[in-house]
Amino acid sequence: MNNRQLGAHGAPGKNPGLYQVSDFSSERVDEESDGRFGRMFVIGEGRTEDGVEKLQPNPLPRYELRRLGAKGGPLEPKNGPSTGKRNSLAPAGITFLGQFIDHDITLDVQSKFSSPQINAALENARTPNLDLDCVYGGGREASPYLYQTDGEGWESARLIEGDRFTGAGAGRNDLQRNSAGRAIIGDPRNDENIFVAQVQCAIIRFHNKCVEYLHTKGLEDSEELFEKARDTTTHYYHRVILEDFLYRVIGLDMLQAIATQGRQYYFPNGFDGKKGWPERPFMPVEFSVAAYRYGHSTVRDAYVVNAGSGNKKLFDQELRGFHAIPAAQLCDWDWFFVAQDKTAEQFAHKIDPFLPDPLFQLPEFAGSERSLASRNLMRGRIFRLPSGESIAKRMIEDGVHIAYGQAMTYDDMIGQDTAGMPAEVKKLQKKLSGEYALPETPLWLYILMEAATYGKGFASKDLQEDHEKKSTGGDRLGPVGGRIVGEVLMGLLDHYRDATGKGLDYDADVPSDGDGVRLAGMKFGPRMSMRAMIDFAYS
């Protein structure tokens, strides 16, 4: 019987023994509920139980938010950067890795544009545990349709893969599908487009490769093989989140700030519950409704899938999901994730307040509101999110750091006269306070604007020369967005370790470097990367 308890993993240098029992305010989340959405910052009148002044929800008019995000508005690229969306320093695949991670921890199937959502009223249909339930479902007994039943006994530890490709795609498989072409996987959203579907394929193959490796080391029991392969896959997935994804998205400075100073807003005292078992983490709306939606800005108008595919428009029928992956659209991973000591062939767009053109006219299946920018802005109002400025001020008052030993100051807030703010972002700032009469900025938009201003990235000398000599912002999130995204994802890694005892310092059964395996050792140090997982999966 599979008695594995799903849940909880830890960031380096964090000691679970430092976590003390804490009462998490019911003003933020329903303590009795499992898998709810909640708040990092309490809103309302007066003060919290801890004496902290509550933040006010940003009272922005619905009509103005729709107009602000509409096609032809100031968030469309042609009305912002004179040359349209610009390339960041991150490879194009980081957008879809981010989408995969999102699907692992959040699913809102209840909220509506017409209904305000308050505190813990909304249920999260995913377990926010970074436990790859989008791949493993409920395990071999609860989700047997995901697991292999034929072959030798040990092979039942494998996940089912779909049809095998031939020709140029030899060695690759589609997802398993039903007669209608829909993927049979733990989360159907990972079939929304061919890119996230192929990330899912790679994770499934990585698990199966771990099963094969462990079998060659003498393991025959299918249950033990399955558990060790799942632990190994989850371990390296967590390392990818910290060492590849967050390294790029929030930057090393913010990673170090959170690791050394600790989390200030997302379970700052740890996850130890009243009964001695780690509390179930909630999903903050500041993360899911605002900060993590930064990824919409990084989407490209069109993608080169492989050398023979040409430039495919974002909503090209062949790139859409919920059907078999076309053999001609198998991702050449050189175009999506950086191989060791190589430069990406195709980059994600910069994080800035200008979404790519296709997202202002979503296909009909997306509903009545066609602009994703308008949807994001109105959703922030529905969830009564505070403004970006109010959260920035709170962080400054609380003394949070944005780098090791460097506290955030008012100079790190965006404003009309912010030095170094790109001209197109400064122009947008003036338009917001003038034409739109917005005294403060919606949180989602603020996070994009601060990323464009303060989100200077990193790269090798050669790569910098290919990108205007140096990063000019938009390569990572800024102080507010980086702190929210970093605290939540690093917190979920901590929670996994607290609940399972297997953190990032856990020695996986498949080594990262040795015994014929090479998973780490990137150009910037012994970091784990998504490309390394892919290379091992298809080796």
Side-chain angles (χ1 to χ4, degrees):
M1 178 178 293
N2 178 11
N3 294 317
R4 179 189 176 89
Q5 292 169 305
L6 299 180
H9 218 136
K14 303 296 286 185
N15 184 349
L18 298 177
Y19 294 153
Q20 303 299 320
V21 175
S22 64
D23 294 329
F24 200 70
S25 171
S26 60
E27 294 176 303
R28 299 193 184 198
V29 71
D30 180 359
E31 292 181 281
E32 301 302 319
S33 65
D34 178 15
R36 295 281 183 175
F37 286 88
R39 296 187 184 277
M40 295 176 78
F41 300 90
V42 182
I43 63 171
E45 300 287 345
R47 295 180 178 273
T48 68
E49 297 171 356
D50 298 327
V52 178
E53 188 73 28
K54 297 178 182 178
L55 297 180
Q56 295 293 312
N58 201 5
L60 303 173
R62 176 187 175 94
Y63 170 77
E64 289 298 324
L65 292 176
R66 173 175 275 139
R67 184 167 75 95
L68 174 61
K71 182 173 177 56
L75 305 188
E76 199 172 5
K78 65 183 180 182
N79 297 318
S82 58
T83 57
K85 288 288 290 181
R86 295 184 292 249
N87 287 337
S88 73
L89 298 175
I94 209 74
T95 300
F96 302 102
L97 175 58
Q99 184 180 25
F100 179 89
I101 295 168
D102 176 54
H103 291 174
D104 194 23
I105 57 179
T106 65
L107 176 56
D108 169 13
V109 295
Q110 294 178 312
S111 68
K112 299 178 181 179
F113 283 126
S114 59
S115 304
Q117 301 295 330
I118 303 174
N119 293 329
L122 189 65
E123 185 174 355
N124 182 10
R126 288 240 69 82
T127 57
N129 296 315
L130 291 175
D131 55 16
L132 285 175
D133 59 346
C134 57
V135 170
Y136 294 109
R140 296 202 303 170
E141 293 185 2
S143 306
Y145 50 86
L146 299 178
Y147 298 91
Q148 194 164 307
T149 57
D150 55 357
E152 298 183 42
W154 67 270
E155 292 183 281
S156 65
R158 294 167 52 92
L159 289 157
I160 295 176
E161 298 180 66
D163 292 340
R164 182 173 291 272
F165 293 99
T166 58
R172 303 270 292 272
N173 291 69
D174 194 357
L175 299 169
Q176 65 161 331
R177 298 181 180 276
N178 63 18
S179 59
R182 294 298 182 105
I184 305 172
I185 51 179
D187 188 330
R189 294 176 299 166
N190 283 348
D191 193 30
E192 284 180 348
N193 58 68
I194 67 163
F195 307 119
V196 72
Q198 290 180 70
V199 170
Q200 174 97 5
C201 287
I203 298 292
I204 290 172
R205 174 61 70 87
F206 186 92
H207 168 93
N208 289 345
K209 196 76 174 181
C210 289
V211 170
E212 295 170 8
Y213 173 88
L214 293 168
H215 177 63
T216 65
K217 300 303 175 185
L219 284 180
E220 294 289 341
D221 180 74
S222 65
E223 182 66 18
E224 185 179 7
L225 268 174
F226 170 69
E227 289 295 339
K228 286 183 178 294
R230 179 162 69 171
D231 282 342
T232 298
T233 303
T234 305
H235 169 78
Y236 285 117
Y237 167 59
H238 288 176
R239 285 191 59 183
V240 165
I241 291 173
L242 188 74
E243 299 170 20
D244 193 7
F245 182 75
L246 284 177
Y247 187 66
R248 296 179 184 281
V249 171
I250 72 173
L252 181 60
D253 287 346
M254 184 62 78
L255 277 171
Q256 291 176 329
I258 296 173
T260 56
Q261 188 189 31
R263 298 189 305 275
Q264 304 295 297
Y265 304 105
Y266 188 62
F267 286 88
N269 296 311
F271 293 89
D272 288 345
K274 296 176 181 178
K275 298 179 181 179
W277 179 253
E279 292 187 28
R280 292 286 186 178
F282 71 96
M283 187 49 54
V285 290
E286 297 90 347
F287 173 89
S288 62
V289 178
Y292 204 69
R293 292 180 182 238
Y294 81 87
H296 296 158
S297 178
T298 69
V299 175
R300 298 183 64 85
D301 300 75
Y303 287 91
V304 176
V305 184
N306 55 57
S309 72
N311 216 25
K312 294 281 186 181
K313 293 293 185 182
L314 178 62
F315 292 123
D316 185 288
Q317 186 60 41
E318 287 194 304
L319 302 190
R320 293 194 196 181
F322 306 119
H323 58 69
I325 299 171
Q329 303 307 326
L330 279 177
C331 288
D332 180 339
W333 294 118
D334 283 342
W335 289 92
F336 288 90
F337 292 103
V338 179
Q340 185 167 323
D341 295 335
K342 287 186 178 180
T343 297
E345 297 288 345
Q346 181 174 229
F347 297 89
H349 276 156
K350 281 186 177 289
I351 306 172
D352 60 28
F354 309 105
L355 270 62
D357 285 326
L359 297 186
F360 289 92
Q361 282 191 303
L362 296 173
E364 293 294 340
F365 65 78
S368 58
E369 182 54 62
R370 300 283 299 278
S371 167
L372 186 57
S374 294
R375 292 167 72 94
N376 287 343
L377 290 166
M378 290 190 291
R379 190 175 291 275
R381 180 181 184 273
I382 290 165
F383 281 85
R384 304 174 66 210
L385 293 181
S387 69
E389 288 88 348
S390 66
I391 290 183
K393 290 174 184 176
R394 171 60 53 79
M395 288 184 175
I396 293 168
E397 292 168 2
D398 292 342
V400 301
H401 289 184
I402 57 176
Y404 178 71
Q406 180 183 347
M408 184 178 174
T409 70
Y410 284 98
D411 289 338
D412 299 308
M413 284 181 61
I414 63 169
Q416 194 161 340
D417 299 317
T418 300
M421 177 180 281
E424 63 270 15
V425 180
K426 186 173 289 189
K427 179 180 176 182
L428 172 62
Q429 181 76 16
K430 292 181 178 179
K431 188 178 284 287
L432 293 177
S433 60
E435 178 182 341
Y436 290 88
L438 300 180
E440 295 188 329
T441 314
L443 181 57
W444 171 72
L445 185 55
Y446 180 95
I447 285 168
L448 297 182
M449 293 171 71
E450 74 162 10
T453 304
Y454 296 110
K456 293 178 174 58
F458 61 90
S460 65
K461 180 180 178 182
D462 292 342
L463 190 55
Q464 291 281 17
E465 290 175 353
D466 291 338
H467 287 76
E468 305 168 6
K469 302 297 182 184
K470 63 180 180 179
S471 171
T472 55
D475 289 310
R476 59 172 173 80
L477 292 169
V480 172
R483 170 64 64 166
I484 292 174
V485 169
E487 284 209 10
V488 171
L489 291 181
M490 292 173 75
L492 293 177
L493 294 176
D494 276 342
H495 182 270
Y496 190 94
R497 181 180 61 182
D498 288 358
T500 67
K502 296 175 180 177
L504 295 178
D505 50 358
Y506 157 72
D507 290 328
D509 292 286
V510 177
S512 61
D513 192 359
D515 196 22
V517 178
R518 182 69 185 270
L519 287 173
M522 290 292 289
K523 192 169 187 176
F524 297 101
R527 294 168 36 237
M528 184 63 191
S529 70
M530 186 62 203
R531 179 56 186 265
M533 286 193 78
I534 289 169
D535 287 347
F536 178 72
Y538 294 112
S539 61

